[in-house]
């Protein structure tokens, strides 16, 4: 068959179609419109940004600011793709300090919605209006209006039904829009924000509010009051912000916020650094809560990686990670990791409400709660309910919870070593506290002992070979063929951390020695843990991961303490050894080692206030 020569198959798409296609990358839903418009307002140097929404932003997003504004010449270009005031040539891409720079957002929105811009520069007598309805541009025409800019985006996707289909219920869209504004508010102290929905005010922060105030307004006092401030700098980086105690960790990352030079990011490098900083303090699968602003010279990072600019490329990621982990870990360690007694009271109340019987603290006391079960429940108490939408619906701080600044208590509260400590059920230690807040704490002696064993092992490993106890009769373990193969390449590495295993035939291993530190070692359990870890992490796990994970489980497997009766001297020695390590606030698997009741908690429990 002859190819048809006369008819060209390739044709340039009309501009509006090109813009609609480009819009697919930047504008996914109303929240993307909010993000682009708010970023423009911030780039324009605004100090107050108001966002008005209707029907979750699907019917209307209007962003009004008091920034520098645009004159008629600028307005003529605003809807033109790749027209921007923020870049001049390609070398500018190497040091971008504005949030926008691609000149795509307004052109994209104009192609898929009914848009209008009303703007008046600070020095102008008059404002100007420019419209763009699905690619049909009108203006600029003179128009009254206050200084600054107001951009309206109505009926998003009205001319692209296929896209409209992907929108969710208006409540869902609204909450995504709010999330965008709240992140902007948290990263721009000095700028006030107001959000209305259907004419009702749903969120606001004043320009004068600092970061902690903004977090309190957004997520409530319970979190805000417990945050620990982080501040660090070296010649290249400045880090500022807050980390939350590990118990605030959540199943999702919605309260993990990173701001790089004022830009909200979800970057792999930053997420990893935070994970590392919380290592050993966090239960598997939980995401820590933190609000961190990192600043660096814009030339050290490439922000032009992704159309929505939520990922970046650091020129020297290792330096960034090192700096962050060092300073964040320090901060995380000094957060208050005990479970506040208040939350235990809350747990009891809930349990009672579920069972609908009796009053708190009445009736026979049941068998001791297993520590792991208890700590799970306590964690769930800290699932903070969804973000409050309406200001009136925001729960008032519970009575007795003061609006104090900073964490409620330093991890190692004052104790008097001469005062007796009570042992309950051969498992829990109860001792009085003597600082401002008074009260007492209950320590899970098993969890604490695990931590102490782990810390000691880690120190020994770091200092060289830990002392190993060789068994008179090696323990032989039946395993599968591939388990033998899995562990074989790592035997030297394991010996370095005091675990002496050798291959004993095709389907057996022999355990020849374990660290002396482990008082009642469980060789089989430890080796099975190692195998499991190797299976989980793949063929070449990092030495450090093996070390930490294996030491964790080794410390647990050598559990001596639950059920051991202890003398006062032993108790005091145990508590004192705890203080020597990196932390004594959680066990190596991140369960808390203690619950603290302040005097205020007690007064509440007894209805004294
Ligand atoms: P970009 O932000 O990448 O430059 P946009 O399409 O978002 O591209 O905006 C195009 C241009 O319109 C901006 O470069 C800026 O000059 C101008 N502009 C947009 N919004 C505002 C605003 N709120 N105030 C002042 N100028 C604005
Ligand atoms: Mg922009």
């Amino acid at each position: 068959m002859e190819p048809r020569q006369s008819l060209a198959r390739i044709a340039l798409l009309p501009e509006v179609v090109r813009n609609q296609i480009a819009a697919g990358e930047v504008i996914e839903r109303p929240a993307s419109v909010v993000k682009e418009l708010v970023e423009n307002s911030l780039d324009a140097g605004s100090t107050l940004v108001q966002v008005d929404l209707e029907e979750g932003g699907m019917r209307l997003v209007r962003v009004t600011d008091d920034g520098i504004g645009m004159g008629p010449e600028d307005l003529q270009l605003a809807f033109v793709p790749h027209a921007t005031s923020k870049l001049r040539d390609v070398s500018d891409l190497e040091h971008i300090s504005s949030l926008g720079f691609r000149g795509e957002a307004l052109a994209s929105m104009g192609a898929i919605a009914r848009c209008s811009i009303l703007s008046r520069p600070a020095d102008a007598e008059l404002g100007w209006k420019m419209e763009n309805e699905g690619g049909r541009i009108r203006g600029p025409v003179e128009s009254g209006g206050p200084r600054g800019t107001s951009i309206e985006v109505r009926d998003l996707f009205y001319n692209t039904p296929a896209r409209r289909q992907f929108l969710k219920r208006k409540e869902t869209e609204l909450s995504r829009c709010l999330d965008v504004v709240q992140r902007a508010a948290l990263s721009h102290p000095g700028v006030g924000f107001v959000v209305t929905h259907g004419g009702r005010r749903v969120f606001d922060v004043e320009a004068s509010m600092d970061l902690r105030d903004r977090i309190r307004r957004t997520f409530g006092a319970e979190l805000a009051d417990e945050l620990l401030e982080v501040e660090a700098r070296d010649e290249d980086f400045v880090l500022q912000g807050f980390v939350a105690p590990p118990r605030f960790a959540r199943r999702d990352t919605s309260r993990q916020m990173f701001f790089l030079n004022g830009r909200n990011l979800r970057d792999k490098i930053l997420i990893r650094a935070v994970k590392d900083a919380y290592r050993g303090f966090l239960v598997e699968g939980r995401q820590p809560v933190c609000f961190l602003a990192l600043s660096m010279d814009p030339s050290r990072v490439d922000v032009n990686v992704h159309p929505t600019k939520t990922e970046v490329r650091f020129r020297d990621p290792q330096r960034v990670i090192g700096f962050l982990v060092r300073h964040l870990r320090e901060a995380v360690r000094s957060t208050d990791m005990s479970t506040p007694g208040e939350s235990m009271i809350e747990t009891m109340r809930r349990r009672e409400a579920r069972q609908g019987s009796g009053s708190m603290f009445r009736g026979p006391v049941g068998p001791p709660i297993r520590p792991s079960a208890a700590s799970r429940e306590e964690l769930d108490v800290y699932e903070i309910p969804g973000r409050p939408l309406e200001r009136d619906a925001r729960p008032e701080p519970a009575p007795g919870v003061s609006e104090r600044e900073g964490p409620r208590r330093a991890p190692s509260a004052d104790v008097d070593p001469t005062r007796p400590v009570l042992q309950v059920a051969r498992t829990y230690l109860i001792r009085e506290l003597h600082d401002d807040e008074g009260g007492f704490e209950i320590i899970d002696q098993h969890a604490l002992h695990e931590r102490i064993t782990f810390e000691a092992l880690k120190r020994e490993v770091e200092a060289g070979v830990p002392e190993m106890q060789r068994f008179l009769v090696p323990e032989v373990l039946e395993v599968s063929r591939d388990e033998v193969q899995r562990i074989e390449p790592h035997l030297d590495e394991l010996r370095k951390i005091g675990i002496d295993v050798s291959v004993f035939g095709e389907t057996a291993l022999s355990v020849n020695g374990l660290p002396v530190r482990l008082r009642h070692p469980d060789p089989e359990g430890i080796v099975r843990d190692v195998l499991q870890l190797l299976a989980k992490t793949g063929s070449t796990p990092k030495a450090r991961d093996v070390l930490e994970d294996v030491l964790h489980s080794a410390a647990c497997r050598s559990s001596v303490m639950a059920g051991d009766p202890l003398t006062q001297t032993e108790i005091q020695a145990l508590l004192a050894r705890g203080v020597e390590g990196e932390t004594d606030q959680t066990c190596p698997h991140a369960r808390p080692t203690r619950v603290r009741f302040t005097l205020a908690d007690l007064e509440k429990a007894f209805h004294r206030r």
Side-chain angles (χ1 to χ4, degrees), residues 277-349:
Y278 276 88
R279 202 189 181 84
F281 299 133
L282 218 55
V283 179
E284 272 275 301
R286 295 283 172 148
Q287 308 292 337
V289 172
C290 58
F291 305 88
L292 298 169
L294 183 64
S295 321
M296 61 182 77
D297 189 299
S299 67
R300 295 185 143 267
V301 54
D302 183 1
V303 290
N304 186 27
V305 178
H306 194 267
T308 60
K309 298 169 265 177
T310 48
E311 282 166 42
V312 296
R313 205 172 288 133
F314 292 104
R315 306 237 186 272
D316 189 353
Q318 286 315 318
R319 278 263 301 120
V320 178
I321 291 193
F323 172 81
L324 287 175
V325 174
R326 192 163 56 252
H327 296 289
L328 289 177
R329 184 150 184 94
E330 187 63 37
V332 171
R333 274 188 341 131
S334 10
T335 61
D336 179 1
M337 297 189 199
S338 71
T339 299
E342 204 185 313
S343 82
M344 245 175 107
I345 296 172
E346 194 49 42
T347 310
M348 294 177 207
R349 268 201 199 111

Side-chain angles (χ1 to χ4, degrees), residues 36-46 63-65 67-70 74 77-87 98-109 117 119 148-151 309:
E36 294 296 334
L37 295 183
V38 166
E39 288 187 352
N40 281 348
S41 296
L42 292 168
D43 282 342
S46 310
V63 175
T64 306
D65 65 48
I68 52 172
M70 283 175 274
D74 286 334
L77 284 172
F79 285 121
V80 176
H82 313 297
T84 177
S85 57
K86 302 167 193 176
L87 276 190
S98 56
L99 297 171
F101 57 84
R102 299 168 65 106
E104 278 176 343
L106 291 179
S108 297
M109 289 178 219
I117 308 176
S119 193
T149 302
S150 183
I151 304 186
K309 298 169 265 177

Side-chain angles (χ1 to χ4, degrees), residues 520-522 524-526 528-529 552-559:
H520 303 310
D522 165 10
E524 166 154 13
I526 290 173
R528 298 234 177 259
D529 283 341
H552 280 183
S553 53
C556 284
R557 297 250 176 224
S558 71
S559 63

Side-chain angles (χ1 to χ4, degrees), residues 403-468:
E403 296 266 328
R404 58 186 158 335
E405 290 289 297
R408 23 190 272 158
R409 198 194 281 276
S412 278
D414 283 349
V415 287
D416 177 352
T418 63
R419 296 287 282 265
V421 175
L422 183 66
Q423 192 190 28
V424 176
R426 296 184 172 183
T427 304
Y428 302 106
L429 307 175
I430 302 181
R431 69 168 167 185
E432 196 179 357
L433 299 170
H434 296 274
D435 61 7
D436 302 346
E437 292 180 90
F440 67 95
E441 64 181 4
I442 309 173
I443 298 159
D444 176 337
Q445 65 183 41
H446 172 60
L448 176 61
H449 186 256
E450 275 176 23
R451 167 59 73 179
I452 291 172
T453 308
F454 173 68
E455 292 285 327
L457 267 171
K458 202 168 74 171
R459 273 198 304 272
E460 285 181 12
V461 169
E462 274 158 12
V465 186
E467 214 182 319
M468 196 191 298

Side-chain angles (χ1 to χ4, degrees), residues 187 251 278:
S187 51
R251 293 198 177 86
Y278 276 88

